Amino acid sequence: MNRNVTFCFLYFLGLAAVVLVTGCLSAGAEVAGTDITGKTDVCKWQDGKQAVFLLEFDDSLVSHIDHAIPELIKRDLIGTFYINPGQKKYKSQQLEWRTEVKAAGMVLANHTYTHIGALSVDAWDRELALCNEEIARCCPNLPMPRLISYAKPGGLPSDHWLLSDEEMAASLKKHNLIERPRFWGPPFEGNSVEELYAVIDQAVISGEMGHIDFHGVGGDWHVVPMDLFTAVLDKLVERRSELWITDPISWHQYATERETARVNVVKANERGIQLRLTCNADPTLYDLPLTLITRVPDTWSACTVSQGKTTCEVAVIDGTLQYTAVPTGAIIHLTPVSEKTRP
Ligand SMILES: [Zn+2]
């Protein structure tokens, strides 16, 4: 390796280390002159967390409502439930799925209506549409159209999958479904508590997304015993300050928006800062707020952050302000709160 190549290698290694340590990617905001007031970074993950973790549950099982959700609620954790509303087991607890699950802050996702596969274009389309309709019925206050996570039903023979990959993908796109990462979880993979802990630790180390997927929890089939399940939840609580524990669509939206996020400084001085945050993703489907960190004047101790109709007050820490904003291009106003006007 010659000297120039070595220098470049070390330079990029150093740059990578900075990104890893700060967890933020510069959005390239520039301010006129030499003042860095207004310089803004987009955090790699929401709230400046180091990595992301997802908990997913397949087949809308009785044990999800009876065992998994109460344990999630106890720890203020979120889970994503891939439902089959056309199956008897779902219908036996339809009222709970339609009321309690959403009220508990859980997320519903599409696992097809009856878990039967794709037997024809029309039947496949119906499987996806009916499941989406039930999810919309369970979550009437969420805006439509919106992205919904999709998990392909497993354990079916090949003669239940008669469509081409292109035909399947076209239907997913038509119904705003985003395929989740491949199933990973007990009893197929990671059956010991050490293996499951390692997945959580590895997510933090990598700075990326990790996930564990379940079927039965303390009952039903492919069962995870309750002590193993609660050990995983307790480990997540222990690492909560480092992990953004969320659902697959929020993770997908954040990563997609951040990929092309740009911050332009419209104005930056002692009296206030105005920024414009944009990205290339379709704003009707990609509307999740991104977390930004902006350099503000040293004299500021707190300021109001407003964008459109949203306003909040945020404390300044070490000359920087961390807050959220949507990448719609609507102007973000950062205005110092003087000590006199503070309550
Ligand atoms: Zn399934």
Side-chain angles (χ1 to χ4, degrees), residues 68-243:
I69 291 174
E71 295 297 337
L72 291 166
I73 292 171
K74 263 188 222 170
R75 295 164 179 82
D76 195 23
L77 290 169
I78 188 172
T80 301
F81 294 82
Y82 291 84
I83 62 170
N84 306 115
Q87 289 201 334
K88 271 187 192 162
K89 57 183 166 14
Y90 179 90
K91 289 178 177 167
S92 73
Q93 290 189 303
Q94 190 177 57
L95 185 64
E96 286 88 341
W97 285 109
R98 285 186 178 179
T99 55
E100 294 172 21
V101 175
K102 185 61 202 161
M106 302 300 150
V107 175
L108 297 182
N110 194 318
H111 199 35
T112 74
Y113 192 60
T114 63
H115 207 286
I116 201 171
L119 303 176
S120 70
V121 170
D122 286 347
W124 173 240
D125 198 65
R126 186 170 168 275
E127 282 285 314
L128 298 178
L130 289 178
C131 192
N132 265 8
E133 278 176 26
E134 177 64 13
I135 292 169
R137 204 169 287 126
C138 294
C139 315
N141 297 327
L142 291 179
M144 294 296 274
R146 63 194 173 87
L147 298 177
I148 293 175
S149 187
Y150 160 79
K152 184 180 179 181
L156 294 169
S158 58
D159 63 357
H160 281 241
W161 296 107
L162 301 180
L163 303 192
S164 67
D165 289 346
E166 291 72 24
E167 287 171 320
M168 306 252 289
S171 264
L172 293 184
K173 190 168 168 38
K174 174 182 166 188
H175 294 290
N176 293 317
L177 294 167
I178 303 293
E179 189 155 16
R180 76 165 183 202
R182 188 184 70 81
F183 184 97
W184 191 96
F188 310 105
E189 292 152 302
N191 291 309
S192 71
V193 72
E194 291 78 16
E195 287 172 300
L196 297 173
Y197 283 175
V199 174
I200 296 168
D201 292 335
Q202 182 53 37
V204 177
I205 291 165
S206 71
E208 298 297 333
M209 183 274 290
H211 63 102
I212 300 177
D213 310 326
F214 302 94
H215 286 89
V217 177
D220 293 311
W221 62 80
H222 299 326
V223 183
V224 176
M226 285 311 292
D227 58 348
L228 186 57
F229 181 66
T230 54
V232 168
L233 301 192
D234 289 339
K235 174 78 173 177
L236 285 171
V237 169
E238 193 185 297
R239 304 214 72 164
R240 189 170 359 219
S241 63
E242 301 154 294
L243 286 171

Side-chain angles (χ1 to χ4, degrees), residues 38 41 77 80 105 189 210 213 217 259 274 278 305-306 312 314 319 339:
D41 292 327
L77 290 169
T80 301
E189 292 152 302
D213 310 326
V217 177
E259 181 103 1
Q274 291 180 11
T278 55
V305 178
S306 65
C312 63
V314 183
E339 293 301 323

